[in-house]
Structures are given as structure tokens and as C-alpha cells.
Amino acid sequence: MNQLAQKIKELAQAYTQDTVGIRRHIHANPELSFEEHNTATYVEQVLQSYGLETVRMANTGVVALVKGRNPESKTIALRADLDALPITEQNTVDYKSKNEGVMHACGHDVHTASLLGAARILQEVRGEFEGTVKLVFQPGEEKFPGGASIMIKEGVLQQPAPSGIIGQHVFPMLPAGKVGFRSGMYMASADEIYITVKGKGGHAALPELNIDPVLITSHLIVALQQIVSRHASPKVPTVLSFGKVEALGATNVIPNEVKVEGTFRTMDEVWRKEAHRRIRKLAEGLCESMGGSCDIDIKFGYPFLKNDPDLTGRAREAAALYLGEENVVDLDLWMGAEDFAYYSQEVAACFYRLGTRNEARGITSGVHTPTFDIDEAALETGIGLMAWIAVQELEARTA
Ligand SMILES: [Zn+2]
Ligand SMILES: [Zn+2]
């Protein structure tokens, strides 16, 4: 292993305890999406204590630059998210959430603490790499339209423009000490579908006088599955699920309308729009053919997340060098959504997973659950690896 990697490892080890403290502070004081006022101020204070200048973006987002030698030569961005979820924590740890009903249940406390630790390391070794590392602490990952989209609109990918952006996310399926990568499509776009099927209600014993929206809806739900089975390429993962059907009639009452709600997820932006068009056309045509009609509203959520193959390949190699090949795994596709996807639509991106599981200590709960927690040993990996990947990427003379 080269000297700089060794030095980063030593610094990561030395700073782990402080990082645990930072993580616990953020964990105990969670704030909801776009309300991360105290968290943003805290992040600013910590960065300033390392001698870094900070800039506010998107109200509660914070950006800072670590400048190495020849800082204009190349820029790489590292991203963390600041927000917590509306969940009441059930862990009995002494850093348990002090904000009733709000919890860092998606590990964004870990991402923020890790990026602060990486910042400290990078600032310490700034004389030993060329280029600039842009630190991006964004608000509101968990809530549409997503802090990432606002940061991009406010220019986070400009001045200086990074050649790539790297994000790290906790992964409770993977043991602490390990990390996971996937090249190409990784996470899904997620759109919400709201359909109101309209008919004409009346006595259930007199079907000839009614237009039954319940029957129309039954056909519609079955028919819409052909969008997935007959129009989606088998090479592009696609999911269409309806989790809510509301027909407020009775055993003997046909209602006037039925409400249907679902989610559409895929991993191709062209197909995504084409699928929306087909869903609409099929729903309208089918309802009309059965004598009814429908209102259909499809709300765009986050886009799909693509990991740039070159950047991800280099980051994976850097991780294997730093942690050993045995600690780097290949990830499966993930049909969940993440607003980091917005960056991946604009610039080369790599979103990798940080293992946080510890079976022996019972740390196995999934994200977005009231008992989610991490093995804090993961923080040493988190801070060092992020710094190392950034440095390696600045070394790579691409573009
Ligand atoms: Zn989440
Ligand atoms: Zn998350």
C-alpha cells in the first residue's frame, strides 16, 4: 500500500473516536427534511474548526472546499445528507434521539459524521494531493423534491465543477468493515400514480342502471400489468404496484368512483416517460370502453440512479486497495429510490454502500425502522475510505 493510503488509515484510526462523538451528537439531535437548521450550523462549526470556509446552499445545506496543491486542476465532490425521519426511536442507547418523533433511521447522521471525518483527514493531507475536494452536505434527501435537486439548481455542480461525485450510504445487510459497489444502473426512479375511476353508482341489485367503477378498476389493475410484462424491456427492471384501492360502496351499494394509488419504478429515463404515457392511454381507453372515465395523475419522484462505470470502477479499485479485496462486495440492484440520483443524471457519479451490521451485537435492523442503529466500527472505514477514494480520483488523470 502506498504511503498516503497508510497515512490516511492512521488518521482515520486517530479520528474515529471524535467521529463517533460527532455522529452521536447528530443522532441525538435529529431534524426533519429541510428543517436541518441546527445540524447545518453544527456542520459549519465543525468544518470551520478544521480551518475550512463554509458556504450555505439550499437554506440548510453546507458546502466547503478542501484545496490541495494546484487546486484548479481537478475537483471531485463528496456528498452527505443531513435529514432525519418522522419515526420515534425505540433504541435504548445514551445517544437516543432527544427530538420526540424524529429519528436518524436512515443513517444520515453516519453519512454526515463520515464526511466531516473525511474532511478533517483531507485537510490534514492537503499538501499531498493535487486538486480540490468539494464537500457537499445537502438537506432533505427523504422528502420530494429532494435537497439534491435544489442544490443542483443553486449551482452546487459549478464553480468549481466536479468531474464526479461520490456518495456513501449505510447498508445494514452488510457487516461493518465491508463496503459494496455496483456499476451502471443501481437504484430505481420512483413515481406516484393516482387514478380515480369514475362510473355511476346505485343499487347493487340493479346493475343495468349503473356503471360499475369497481368492476372497471378490477380490469384496470390487471390490464396495467401488461405495461410491465409486454412493454418494458426485460433488460430494464420495472415495477408497477398498487397498494391502495378505495371503493366506498357496500354489499348492496355500487359507489360512484374508486380511487387507486400505486408506485411505478424503473431504471431508464426514456422508458420511464414512455411508461407514463402508456399507463395513461391504457387507463383512459379501458375506462371509456367500459362506459366510465378516469382522472389520472402521475407525480414524478426521484430519477433512477446510475453509477458511472469508469468512476465506480476506480472507486472500487481504491476500496480494494484500502480495505482488501475480501472486504469489497458487488451489490445487487435496489428498487428503492434516493435523491443522489439527481447528481447521477448530471455528472459522473458513484453511490456505494458502507456495511454497518453486527450480527453478534444484534445490530441488524433495517433502515427506516425505529430500532435502526449501526456498529460504529463502520465509521473508521467510512471516514478513511471516503478520503482515500477522493484522493485516488484526483490522481486519476481522466477527461
Ligand atoms: Zn431513507
Ligand atoms: Zn438514506
Side-chain angles (χ1 to χ4, degrees):
M1 185 176 299
N2 83 18
Q3 253 184 333
L4 185 52
Q6 197 52 47
K7 186 162 179 186
I8 289 175
K9 266 200 165 173
E10 282 160 20
L11 289 171
Q13 204 175 17
Y15 298 159
T16 295
Q17 198 154 3
D18 287 351
T19 306
V20 168
I22 289 171
R23 183 254 163 171
R24 290 183 177 193
H25 173 82
I26 298 170
H27 189 90
N29 298 281
E31 293 174 296
L32 290 172
S33 308
F34 302 110
E35 294 170 20
E36 308 90 340
H37 301 282
N38 296 331
T39 311
T41 303
Y42 178 72
V43 165
E44 284 174 327
Q45 285 165 353
V46 174
L47 290 170
Q48 285 159 12
S49 77
Y50 303 152
L52 294 165
E53 276 176 43
T54 60
V55 176
R56 276 286 180 119
M57 284 186 99
N59 197 22
T60 48
V62 180
V63 176
L65 300 175
V66 181
K67 293 180 177 174
R69 289 180 282 112
N70 195 8
E72 320 280 289
S73 58
K74 188 174 180 181
T75 300
I76 180 84
L78 302 178
R79 173 270 203 175
D81 38 13
L82 302 169
D83 57 326
L85 286 159
I87 291 177
T88 301
E89 179 157 15
Q90 282 173 14
N91 292 315
T92 48
V93 289
D94 55 11
Y95 51 89
K96 182 180 172 171
S97 169
K98 289 185 215 161
N99 296 347
E100 180 68 26
V102 185
M103 176 188 175
H104 269 294
C106 199
H108 299 187
D109 53 338
V110 178
H111 311 158
T112 300
S114 291
L115 188 51
L116 287 170
R120 188 175 176 189
I121 294 170
L122 288 163
Q123 177 72 344
E124 182 88 24
V125 302
R126 66 187 184 281
E128 292 168 59
F129 65 84
E130 261 192 49
T132 296
V133 181
K134 189 174 222 175
L135 310 165
V136 177
F137 297 85
Q138 67 152 81
E141 191 286 319
E142 299 283 2
K143 195 170 176 186
F144 194 77
S149 71
I150 301 170
M151 298 286 279
I152 292 168
K153 274 195 198 108
E154 292 191 10
V156 76
L157 298 178
Q158 266 114 51
Q159 294 179 337
S163 63
I165 185 163
I166 293 159
Q168 171 178 257
H169 200 292
V170 297
F171 200 44
M173 325 252 266
L174 196 64
K178 291 185 189 286
V179 292
F181 289 83
R182 185 180 182 93
S183 210
M185 38 187 183
Y186 176 44
M187 290 176 74
S189 57
D191 306 318
E192 293 175 358
I193 303 174
Y194 300 88
I195 305 174
T196 304
V197 177
K198 296 173 172 172
K200 182 169 164 287
H203 201 300
L206 302 167
E208 73 277 22
L209 300 180
N210 307 328
I211 296 164
D212 183 356
V214 179
L215 183 65
I216 299 175
T217 302
S218 309
H219 281 281
L220 180 61
I221 288 173
V222 175
L224 284 174
Q225 287 307 319
Q226 67 187 276
I227 304 283
V228 179
S229 73
R230 300 293 81 182
H231 295 292
S233 161
K235 290 172 230 148
V236 181
T238 303
V239 170
L240 177 61
S241 296
F242 292 99
K244 186 171 175 186
V245 179
E246 188 183 76
L248 297 174
T251 55
N252 54 359
V253 178
I254 301 295
N256 278 319
E257 60 179 39
V258 175
K259 288 187 188 300
V260 186
E261 295 179 14
T263 181
F264 177 77
R265 292 165 186 249
T266 190
M267 296 192 180
D268 180 299
E269 291 300 305
V270 175
W271 159 238
R272 179 188 184 194
K273 291 190 190 85
E274 166 71 8
H276 287 191
R277 194 186 65 76
R278 285 189 177 274
I279 290 168
R280 252 176 233 287
K281 200 170 170 207
L282 196 153
E284 283 162 3
L286 185 137
C287 291
E288 202 193 308
S289 76
M290 293 182 75
S293 64
C294 70
D295 289 339
I296 176 156
D297 184 19
I298 304 179
K299 289 195 191 325
F300 275 88
Y302 298 160
F304 96 99
L305 193 159
K306 55 180 171 190
N307 280 327
D308 179 77
D310 295 334
L311 175 63
T312 306
R314 291 191 296 271
R316 194 194 190 287
E317 254 174 57
L321 193 82
Y322 188 85
L323 299 171
E325 182 63 42
E326 69 281 11
N327 289 316
V328 181
V329 306
D330 293 313
L331 296 167
D332 218 339
L333 293 169
W334 194 255
M335 291 311 283
E338 156 69 53
D339 87 339
F340 186 81
Y342 283 111
Y343 303 115
S344 82
Q345 298 291 332
E346 302 286 329
V347 66
C350 170
F351 191 65
Y352 70 91
R353 295 286 184 167
L354 176 71
T356 52
R357 187 185 188 87
N358 187 326
E359 198 96 28
R361 289 176 47 204
I363 302 170
T364 57
S365 291
V367 292
H368 291 217
T369 70
T371 51
F372 173 73
D373 201 0
I374 66 151
D375 178 351
E376 288 173 324
L379 288 165
E380 185 177 333
T381 312
I383 63 175
L385 183 60
M386 260 209 142
W388 172 241
I389 290 177
V391 164
Q392 283 290 88
E393 188 51 31
L394 288 173
E395 287 279 301
R397 287 286 157 238
T398 50

